[in-house]
Amino acid sequence: MTFGWATNLTSIVVLLCWIPLRELPGLGTFLNVLLIGTSADLAALFLHPPGTFTQQLLFYCIGLVMLTFSDAVYLGARFGAGPRDGLMTGAVRVSGKPVWMVRTVIEVIVLTIGWILGGVVGFGTLLIALAMGPLVQQFQRFTTVRLKGDEI
């Protein structure tokens, strides 16, 4: 099974966790489930692994900013959250806690499960888990479409 297919199938399972949060899917939710893993597999055909540590660091830094900014952009468009983002938005709504805190807890739980299942947890993995929530929250300040009735 490819990374992309594993991602898409995992997304479907994570959507089941939305039920107790009463989170509703949108067009963006379905497109996320179909396209994220597919895009990852396609990108793997064209992007070759970086050869030097400097290239790895550059790819990582650019990827972290792109990931968190893109997350904030599509959440801000309000067309429906992706599976893990829906867990975040539902938990933010239910708990009243800030995005950075809820997302960090989700990422640390996912990291821990991956480690228990035998995955490698390196510095980069830990940094993503700790930085994803705060960066998404910061970018959302600039990317969220404001609608009537929104709190300012």
Side-chain angles (χ1 to χ4, degrees):
M1 179 182 300
T2 66
F3 173 77
W5 269 104
T7 298
N8 289 347
L9 293 175
T10 301
S11 294
I12 293 168
V13 173
V14 172
L15 284 174
L16 297 175
C17 297
W18 284 27
I19 294 169
L21 295 172
R22 296 183 178 179
E23 193 71 7
L24 298 174
L27 176 62
T29 307
F30 298 110
L31 291 174
N32 184 296
V33 170
L34 293 172
L35 297 177
I36 295 298
T38 306
S39 298
D41 281 347
L42 187 61
L45 296 174
F46 298 102
L47 289 176
H48 301 289
T52 67
F53 177 74
T54 302
Q55 289 174 332
Q56 290 174 342
L57 188 60
L58 182 64
F59 274 38
Y60 182 86
C61 291
I62 291 171
L64 177 60
V65 172
M66 286 177 60
L67 173 65
T68 55
F69 180 74
S70 299
D71 205 54
V73 166
Y74 99 90
L75 284 171
R78 298 181 177 206
F79 284 119
R84 197 179 311 175
D85 294 315
L87 285 180
M88 176 189 73
T89 57
V92 165
R93 183 178 33 77
V94 168
S95 72
K97 302 291 183 194
V99 167
W100 74 265
M101 185 182 294
V102 170
R103 185 56 182 253
T104 300
V105 168
I106 290 170
E107 294 295 335
V108 169
I109 289 170
V110 169
L111 179 144
T112 303
I113 291 169
W115 178 71
I116 290 169
L117 292 172
V120 176
V121 176
F123 177 75
T125 309
L126 184 60
L127 183 58
I128 289 259
L130 298 176
M132 184 81 182
L135 288 173
V136 168
Q137 183 171 323
Q138 283 299 320
F139 285 133
Q140 279 186 313
R141 295 173 51 211
F142 307 105
T143 62
T144 299
V145 174
R146 305 288 178 211
L147 301 174
K148 286 184 181 178
D150 283 348
E151 292 181 27
I152 297 178

